[in-house]
Amino acid sequence: MDADSNMSLDEKHIPEKQPETVAVSTKEVDTAAELFLGDGELDPVEASRVRKKIDFHIIPLMCILYWIQYMDKTTLGSAAILGIREATHLTTNQYNWLGTIFYLSYLAFEFPQNLALQRFPVAKWMSINIFVWAVALCSHAACKNFAGLLVVGLILGMCEGSITAGFLIVSSMFYTRTEQTVRVGYWFLMNGTAQIITGFIGFGSLHIKTKSFEPWQWLMIITGILTLLTALAFWFLFPDSPTNAWFLTPKERAVAVQRIKVNQTGVENKHFKKEQLIEALLDPKTWLFALFSALDNVPNSLTNQRQIIVSSFGFSPLQTTLLGCVDGVVEIITIWTGVKLAARLPNSRAYVSVLYMIPNLLGCFLVNFLPWKNKVGLLFSVWITGVGTTGFVLALSWLSSVTAGHTKRVTVNAILLSAYCVGNAAGPFMWQAQYKPRNHVPWIIIGICYVACMALMLAIRWHLSRENQLRDREPVDHSYDNVYIERTVDGVTEKVKVDKEFLDLTDIQNRDFRYVL
């Protein structure tokens, strides 16, 4: 059975007996329940028009912000080539700690950030974080030592915890499960664009000749200003939810909500539900995705090491800065093709992820065994280790697609991104001075992580497929067929039936829910 099908199980079975009518508080149901009530037919033409309108207003902003946030993360790696290590007297361990402290802060604030994203308007909360983040980025230019860089790194990690989590929530609010796979790919491939643009900004910064400011300081100021402008754009232009999106008419908002009814995940619920938190913690797939996230991001320490590694092959600072643009091109091409392939082939997310990790293993092998004098071959080996990023992109969209219940979704997002932080925080410590220049130990560890990730993706697919098969054999569950809320219109109180899809049920509570593979 195709879990992406628009036909619900209720359409395929005639209930033998209707359950008693149950009244619930509006706090218990999804925010979309009061906006969309009833079983009106969805006009495909109108739905397509509304989707294009949503794309036009939110995808560019999401892409810009994800470009900005990744560019800001990689400024440390670019600044290493531009002189920050010498100017602030950093040792190898101190430089590694700057990469780690960012993710430790990210980890510490990830769950509070997710709770805030549930409690407050998503766009406004992200805007505040982006603003603080911009100020911290500009403050790098004033740092003279390791302690100062450590403090601003802590602030950057704290603020960035809101971005990916917020984007996952927004994507699930506005798009169907199949659409989410491609849209998550759209904004995630901006990481590659960031590498290209950062390379050119770094190249330009090298040519800024001022007595009081060094090139790495100009890099921080330029990227900080761009981040500040992005914060303003998000405050005024980015929507919090399809139920109040400024660019949609009331009728279009209802269509936007009806479009995602097929997800059986609703839009959002602003009230924290303890039982959904507990369910998220006891759900095996939560921890399978978390383990994948941790292991897949140990190799992400290459973000801050890549330019140092390329420089060690014998390339000049100018050459290294420009060659970093190729990493971005590789990432853009592979993420684009990967998400398109996964969206086109039904139930193929795990298989596509595994396929795209094979080049990473090849790159690890070549960079370990090619002759050191073959700097072009070594350079290509490093480049192809960026292909596997597609696997993490698909995991992000996959987890969002197989998790229902707003508190549960917030919780599993927090756990996945916390695991992401653990992997990123541990990774930098592989790169010790005694392993240079070949870095055999770090590259072997990276190869092992990729093998484990490939196995985990297949294990997740097996687990979800087995759960779908079990549910196919269960009798139809009518427990939530007659649930209503009360609303008052023109002084008259009426009882209105709420569809199961908008009851803020979890994927385990709703036995009609089928996991996409």
Side-chain angles (χ1 to χ4, degrees):
M1 177 176 176
D2 186 357
D4 286 323
S5 171
N6 287 339
M7 184 178 291
S8 69
L9 290 182
D10 285 338
E11 294 173 313
K12 299 180 180 179
H13 297 274
I14 300 175
E16 296 177 1
K17 180 181 179 181
Q18 291 293 328
E20 294 183 4
T21 301
V22 180
V24 296
S25 165
T26 55
K27 293 182 179 180
E28 294 298 315
V29 300
D30 194 87
T31 55
E34 293 182 84
L35 179 68
F36 175 72
L37 295 167
D39 298 313
E41 290 293 325
L42 180 64
D43 179 4
V45 175
E46 179 67 4
S48 177
R49 187 187 67 81
V50 171
R51 190 205 71 221
K52 290 176 181 177
K53 192 172 183 179
I54 292 169
D55 281 342
F56 179 79
H57 284 89
I58 73 172
I59 292 297
L61 284 170
M62 294 175 84
C63 288
I64 289 170
L65 179 55
Y66 223 72
W67 156 52
I68 289 290
Q69 68 93 22
Y70 191 82
M71 180 178 66
D72 292 350
K73 279 195 299 187
T74 57
T75 50
L76 184 60
S78 301
I81 302 299
L82 300 180
I84 191 173
R85 291 181 296 175
E86 294 77 13
T88 55
H89 315 292
L90 296 178
T91 65
T92 299
N93 270 339
Q94 285 175 334
Y95 179 78
N96 290 341
W97 262 108
L98 292 179
T100 297
I101 202 64
F102 173 90
Y103 289 105
L104 289 179
S105 176
Y106 194 139
L107 174 63
F109 286 93
E110 186 54 39
F111 198 71
Q113 284 280 18
N114 273 270
L115 290 179
L117 286 166
Q118 181 180 17
R119 179 66 182 86
F120 303 115
V122 175
K124 301 301 183 288
W125 181 253
M126 284 198 295
S127 302
I128 293 169
N129 278 274
I130 300 165
F131 177 81
V132 175
W133 167 11
V135 173
L137 195 62
C138 289
S139 300
H140 276 73
C143 295
K144 304 296 183 183
N145 52 37
F146 171 68
L149 292 172
L150 196 69
V151 172
V152 290
L154 278 167
I155 297 173
L156 287 179
M158 174 186 72
C159 294
E160 198 190 326
S162 66
I163 305 304
T164 302
F167 276 13
L168 290 174
I169 291 172
V170 169
S171 296
S172 65
M173 286 180 182
F174 283 93
Y175 296 107
T176 66
R177 294 193 284 188
T178 300
E179 292 168 353
Q180 285 172 38
T181 299
V182 178
R183 268 65 181 184
V184 170
Y186 287 164
W187 49 260
F188 206 96
L189 65 78
M190 296 307 292
N191 287 358
T193 305
Q195 292 181 58
I196 297 171
I197 297 175
T198 304
F200 284 112
I201 293 176
F203 182 78
S205 298
L206 272 172
H207 291 81
I208 300 176
K209 306 297 181 182
T210 53
K211 292 183 179 179
S212 57
F213 252 48
E214 295 187 35
W216 68 269
Q217 292 174 304
W218 279 113
L219 177 67
M220 296 298 183
I221 293 295
I222 292 169
T223 53
I225 291 173
L226 291 172
T227 306
L228 181 60
L229 294 174
T230 305
L232 294 174
F234 260 71
W235 181 270
F236 291 107
L237 299 176
F238 200 72
D240 295 306
S241 161
T243 61
N244 60 12
W246 63 270
F247 54 84
L248 296 177
T249 65
K251 181 180 178 181
E252 289 172 337
R253 291 172 187 172
V255 172
V257 168
Q258 191 178 5
R259 263 181 21 86
I260 64 163
K261 184 179 178 182
V262 65
N263 291 352
Q264 301 196 53
T265 57
V267 175
E268 64 176 345
N269 185 296
K270 291 297 185 185
H271 300 274
F272 182 81
K273 297 181 179 180
K274 182 180 178 181
E275 65 275 13
Q276 290 194 12
L277 167 67
I278 295 171
E279 180 180 308
L281 295 176
L282 297 177
D283 192 339
K285 73 175 183 292
T286 300
W287 301 105
L288 288 171
F289 274 107
L291 182 57
F292 171 86
S293 180
L295 292 176
D296 191 62
N297 282 285
V298 169
N300 204 35
S301 57
L302 282 167
T303 299
N304 286 331
Q305 297 291 335
R306 197 176 294 272
Q307 292 197 330
I308 297 174
I309 292 169
V310 172
S311 179
S312 72
F313 295 158
F315 296 99
S316 69
L318 280 174
Q319 290 172 327
T320 300
T321 301
L322 290 176
L323 287 171
C325 297
V326 179
D327 296 303
V329 173
V330 170
E331 192 163 324
I332 290 171
I333 294 173
T334 54
I335 291 177
W336 176 272
T337 57
V339 297
K340 287 290 187 180
L341 189 61
R344 184 175 294 272
L345 300 177
N347 299 322
S348 64
R349 290 162 178 81
Y351 298 144
V352 173
S353 298
V354 170
L355 176 65
Y356 275 70
M357 287 183 188
I358 293 173
N360 289 44
L361 290 177
L362 177 61
C364 291
F365 180 84
L366 292 176
V367 83
N368 264 300
F369 296 107
L370 281 176
W372 187 244
K373 63 182 179 181
N374 186 358
K375 66 178 185 179
V376 174
L378 292 169
L379 181 62
F380 271 86
S381 302
V382 172
W383 280 340
I384 63 174
T385 58
V387 174
T389 306
T390 304
F392 186 66
V393 175
L394 291 174
L396 281 177
S397 62
W398 197 7
L399 180 61
S400 183
S401 300
V402 297
T403 307
H406 199 71
T407 299
K408 182 176 182 179
R409 193 157 59 222
V410 164
T411 303
V412 297
N413 285 346
I415 291 172
L416 178 110
L417 293 171
S418 295
Y420 161 87
C421 296
V422 170
N424 277 289
F429 290 102
M430 301 186 299
W431 307 94
Q432 297 296 323
Q434 64 263 35
Y435 300 141
K436 294 181 179 180
R438 293 306 302 252
N439 290 306
H440 286 304
V441 171
W443 284 113
I444 290 171
I445 293 172
I446 288 172
I448 293 171
C449 286
Y450 284 132
V451 171
C453 286
M454 294 163 78
L456 280 167
M457 290 302 271
L458 296 175
I460 291 170
R461 191 187 193 284
W462 175 85
H463 171 71
L464 297 180
S465 177
R466 179 173 173 272
E467 181 61 28
N468 283 344
Q469 292 169 10
L470 290 174
R471 294 187 184 195
D472 287 343
R473 293 194 291 268
E474 292 178 359
V476 178
D477 181 13
H478 298 294
S479 303
Y480 303 98
D481 284 358
N482 283 328
V483 179
Y484 72 89
I485 58 174
E486 291 184 349
R487 67 175 179 180
T488 302
V489 180
D490 298 328
V492 179
T493 300
E494 60 180 355
K495 296 178 180 179
V496 184
K497 182 177 180 294
V498 181
D499 291 336
K500 183 183 293 186
E501 292 84 353
F502 299 121
L503 290 176
D504 194 38
L505 300 176
T506 68
D507 51 281
I508 291 179
Q509 289 174 323
N510 181 3
R511 305 309 293 176
D512 286 349
F513 190 97
R514 292 298 182 272
Y515 298 106
V516 294
L517 305 175

